[in-house]
Structure formats: structure tokens, C-alpha cells
Amino acid sequence: MAIPMTQLGSRAFHHEDNEDVEREYDHLRDLARAEADKRGDCFERSKRAYEDGDGARAKELSNQGKAHDAKMKEYNRQASDYIFRENNAPGRVDPDSIDLHGQFVEEAERILEQRIRADQARGQTHLHAIVGKGNHSANHVQKLKPKVEQLCQELGLQYSTEDNAGRIYINLQGGEPIPPQHGGYGGQQDQYQPHHGQQQHGGQHRPPQQHHQQQEQDETEMVEGLIPILLQKLEKACCMVM
């Protein structure tokens, strides 16, 4: 199935202005459009050749059209992968979010479904799908939001729209779609961001109560150890006075 060449928003890169990113993205999409035009031309000429009774020519043009179709899909794949890496680079989105800006609708659907299934397998509880507010869409009608909602319905997931943030909150484990009040990714932030977790170097970490009890025990042992020394000094002092 051909991918409709309509993307989310007027800008593919959903962060600070970066002309290099936009330029590379536009270049790949333009190459895909050029191949789509060539594909359409070949198929149209193939149809006319077939109607004229030139089966060999029709077959040749059909194969050329299929070749252009393959190139179009490859350029679109490169553009999709490229803008996804840029929009979802570390530090640009939260670990429990996915930014779908710059994706064609069918591309976004595929990417989101893969992410949902992967997160569910890891035991994550929720996901924020960034779909935009529709400010730059034609007549301010969002193209991606209905597709995301449809996907959630097909997967049996409950969701809620965060209009002000241009996001859709998806509950990955069932239940009401209530966004978490605190940070962290499904209660497993350290699992998702292992380099941000608290590391322990040597020795066994003690809970606060055990640590307090150990401190009291150490102080008691220190006092008990000082008592014989003090008694010896007192005895010497008494002997000197006498």
C-alpha cells in the first residue's frame, strides 16, 4: 500500500531551529516524491501500451514503474528513520515519550505500534505519544491523532488526550488512562535509564533504620572500650596522690 505523502505539522524537526536537519529531511522526501512521479508516469504509459496491444512494452514500463516504487519507498524509509532519530535523540524527549513529528501517518502508526509492544514486553506502564496540536495542519485538523486513537482501540488500550501538550497518554497495562503525578517511567526509571540510577561502590547498602542501629552499636562499643583506659588512669592518679 502506498504511503500518503502527508506529514505531521509544517516542521519535521520538533525542537530548536536546525536548518541542516530540515534540509536533509526535505531532500530525502523530495527524492521520494520524484520517484513517485516517475512511477506514476511509467504505470500510466504501461496502461496505454497494454490498451494499444503492445504487451511487451506494457510489461517493460510496468517493471520500470515497480523499480521507481521501490526507490520511493527506500527514500521515504531513510527520511522516516532520519527524522525519528533527530526528534527522539537522548535529552530531547522524556524516556516515557515518543515524538512522531515528521512521520507520514502510516509510518507513525508502524513506529508507535512497535514501541508500544516493546514497552509492554519490558513491563512499562504508560507512554506519551507526541502528535502535535494541529496548529500547522490544514484547517487545524490533526491527521495523526485519529490514527493513534484508532491504533489504541485496535490494541485494546485506554488513552487520554493531553491537548495543551499535543500528546496522547496511553496506558500500556490496562486500567484508566490517568497520567502519573511524578516523574519516572512506569515506576522503573532506573531500568530504562541505567546510567542515571544510584550506584553502590563496595559494601552492602543498609536501609536508614539499620544504618541508625549500627551507628548506636558502634558508639556503645567505643564507650565500653574507653572505660578500662579511664580506670587505669584514675588508679595511677590515686597512687601519685597517696
Side-chain angles (χ1 to χ4, degrees):
M1 181 177 64
I3 297 178
M5 294 189 178
T6 54
Q7 71 183 55
L8 171 63
S10 60
R11 293 180 63 253
F13 188 54
H14 187 216
H15 299 279
E16 71 279 358
D17 291 336
N18 190 320
E19 293 183 1
D20 292 337
V21 172
E22 292 285 349
R23 187 180 300 110
E24 177 61 19
Y25 172 81
D26 289 339
H27 173 65
L28 291 169
R29 291 299 194 192
D30 287 342
L31 291 174
R33 291 187 182 93
E35 293 297 330
D37 291 340
K38 295 176 183 177
R39 175 197 61 179
D41 179 65
C42 286
F43 286 159
E44 181 62 29
R45 291 161 58 197
S46 173
K47 179 182 177 181
R48 290 199 301 266
Y50 180 80
E51 292 173 347
D52 292 340
D54 191 348
R57 181 58 176 166
K59 181 65 175 179
E60 178 184 358
L61 289 169
S62 176
N63 288 336
Q64 291 179 12
K66 292 177 181 178
H68 288 302
D69 182 71
K71 290 182 180 180
M72 178 204 70
K73 291 178 179 178
E74 175 59 21
Y75 285 131
N76 276 329
R77 185 195 64 78
Q78 292 179 22
S80 172
D81 292 347
Y82 174 75
I83 201 61
F84 182 82
R85 288 194 305 270
E86 292 295 333
N87 279 328
N88 292 273
R92 287 178 177 163
V93 295
D94 294 330
D96 60 350
S97 301
I98 182 172
D99 192 338
L100 299 173
H101 276 81
Q103 302 296 331
F104 292 162
V105 174
E106 280 72 14
E107 293 170 344
E109 182 182 20
R110 171 182 53 81
I111 293 171
L112 180 59
E113 182 175 358
Q114 291 176 349
R115 173 65 180 271
I116 286 175
R117 295 191 183 279
D119 281 2
Q120 286 178 322
R122 286 194 293 265
Q124 309 299 353
T125 61
H126 66 274
L127 178 66
H128 297 276
I130 302 174
V131 299
K133 303 176 184 179
N135 295 335
H136 302 289
S137 301
N139 299 322
H140 300 288
V141 176
Q142 292 176 296
K143 297 180 178 67
L144 184 57
K145 180 175 177 289
K147 180 62 70 173
V148 172
E149 293 174 341
Q150 178 184 346
L151 176 62
C152 290
Q153 293 168 5
E154 292 174 354
L155 297 177
L157 300 175
Q158 297 194 52
Y159 59 90
S160 61
T161 302
E162 303 172 82
D163 290 322
N164 292 335
R167 303 185 306 186
I168 294 179
Y169 172 84
I170 305 172
N171 189 322
L172 300 178
Q173 302 298 334
E176 294 295 325
I178 303 175
Q181 299 298 318
H182 304 288
Y185 189 24
Q188 302 179 21
Q189 184 173 7
D190 289 346
Q191 177 181 349
Y192 196 87
Q193 292 179 304
H195 298 296
H196 295 172
Q198 186 178 20
Q199 299 181 359
Q200 300 173 5
H201 302 280
Q204 183 178 1
H205 180 72
R206 299 188 182 92
Q209 183 177 3
Q210 294 183 5
H211 179 77
H212 181 67
Q213 293 174 350
Q214 181 65 35
Q215 184 178 5
E216 290 181 346
Q217 181 178 351
D218 293 343
E219 292 175 353
T220 301
E221 292 176 354
M222 181 181 66
V223 172
E224 291 176 351
L226 289 175
I227 290 177
I229 298 175
L230 292 174
L231 290 175
Q232 292 178 0
K233 290 185 177 182
L234 287 173
E235 290 178 357
K236 291 181 180 179
C238 292
C239 294
M240 292 177 60
V241 172
M242 292 176 64

